[in-house]
Amino acid sequence: DQQVKQNSPSLSVQEGRISILNCDYTNSMFDYFLWYKKYPAEGPTFLISISSIKDKNEDGRFTVFLNKSAKHLSLHIVPSQPGDSAVYFCAASAAYKYIFGTGTRLKVLA
Amino acid sequence: DAGVIQSPRHEVTEMGQEVTLRCKPISGHNSLFWYRQTMMRGLELLIYFNNNVPIDDSGMPEDRFSAKMPNASFSTLKIQPSEPRDSAVYFCASSFPERERTETQYFGPGTRLLVL
């Protein structure tokens, strides 16, 4: 039973447009949410996070939105750049434990 | 900072052989995690150490898997005997929750294991 789901395995977006990656979770005990980016042959790298007491966190081109009532979070990348092409994992945390989704492969087309 | 270091980066072995994966966490980090990544299940937590002590090994799939952390700068994940279904990418990550507000985990580059 997957507690964190990324239902879109892949997404293609034109350079300069907005990329929206989605993530759903089932456990209301999660109090912290993160997005990681992963390039081939590298480990995941931390991108942005949000606490459950907030509904939005912004860092440059990246914004994470949290809708607790819907148990849904999303990552917006504006504007998208070819270098953003990677696999994006969302993760939900309760204490030390991260539960990851299966990832969404983003391809930004030049 | 060198980041989390893992070795080997690639390992090809035959079924039944012992496999040992190694990890050096970021200096000063007191939490260490081993993950396995597969296409079907994504990133799964195998085991979590805090201050060199295993806290949660509920993700270790079978008795064939074991992990140790003899000191703050070194950990191993051993599979014995290995099976083809163990083929995956194994990641090590470390963090220092007391210092980092965000409890960020920093991942190593991974070990790609192929069991024939």
Side-chain angles (χ1 to χ4, degrees):
Chain A
D1 181 29
Q2 284 216 302
Q3 297 186 63
V4 178
K5 295 181 183 179
Q6 294 177 256
N7 292 318
S8 298
S10 64
L11 174 69
S12 291
V13 172
Q14 206 65 34
E15 181 180 6
R17 306 295 291 268
I18 184 171
S19 295
I20 300 176
L21 295 92
N22 294 302
C23 181
D24 296 295
Y25 62 96
T26 57
N27 190 339
S28 58
M29 296 300 291
F30 291 137
D31 58 3
Y32 204 78
F33 303 89
L34 310 95
W35 285 93
Y36 277 77
K37 179 166 74 172
K38 184 184 179 304
Y39 292 118
E42 295 183 11
T45 56
F46 171 72
L47 189 58
I48 192 169
S49 62
I50 187 167
S51 165
S52 60
I53 62 173
K54 295 185 176 180
D55 55 18
K56 176 182 175 182
N57 188 27
E58 194 171 349
D59 184 1
R61 297 186 297 114
F62 303 91
T63 303
V64 56
F65 295 92
L66 176 63
N67 182 334
K68 283 196 301 182
S69 61
K71 294 189 176 66
H72 177 84
L73 69 156
S74 61
L75 174 68
H76 292 209
I77 307 173
V78 183
S80 302
Q81 299 174 354
D84 296 329
S85 296
V87 177
Y88 290 78
F89 291 95
C90 70
S93 171
Y96 63 85
K97 200 163 187 172
Y98 286 11
I99 306 296
F100 283 89
T102 50
T104 296
R105 183 177 300 277
L106 173 66
K107 188 171 185 179
V108 179
L109 306 169
Chain B
D1 193 335
V4 176
I5 298 172
Q6 290 187 248
S7 64
R9 292 294 309 273
H10 303 272
E11 177 80 32
V12 180
T13 191
E14 292 188 345
M15 182 174 64
Q17 296 297 306
E18 176 182 301
V19 174
T20 300
L21 311 181
R22 297 172 177 80
C23 175
K24 176 178 168 55
I26 292 172
S27 177
H29 283 192
N30 66 346
S31 294
L32 184 138
F33 307 81
W34 282 99
Y35 288 88
R36 177 170 67 176
Q37 184 190 9
T38 61
M39 289 292 290
M40 292 300 296
R41 301 176 68 87
L43 274 163
E44 300 175 279
L45 177 66
L46 300 177
I47 188 168
Y48 157 58
F49 291 89
N50 184 258
N51 292 321
N52 312 338
V53 176
I55 304 299
D56 182 352
D57 65 355
S58 59
M60 296 286 264
E62 299 172 32
D63 291 345
R64 299 183 297 106
F65 285 69
S66 62
K68 293 181 180 180
M69 192 164 186
N71 58 62
S73 59
F74 184 65
S75 177
T76 59
L77 177 68
K78 185 179 292 186
I79 308 172
Q80 180 185 20
S82 58
E83 296 182 4
R85 61 193 167 120
D86 301 331
S87 299
V89 182
Y90 291 81
F91 290 102
C92 176
S94 70
S95 71
F96 191 9
E98 293 176 43
R99 178 183 299 166
E100 299 280 349
R101 182 177 62 85
T102 58
E103 299 182 34
T104 303
Q105 294 182 18
Y106 296 87
F107 282 77
T111 295
R112 184 174 294 275
L113 173 65
L114 178 61
V115 183
L116 302 174

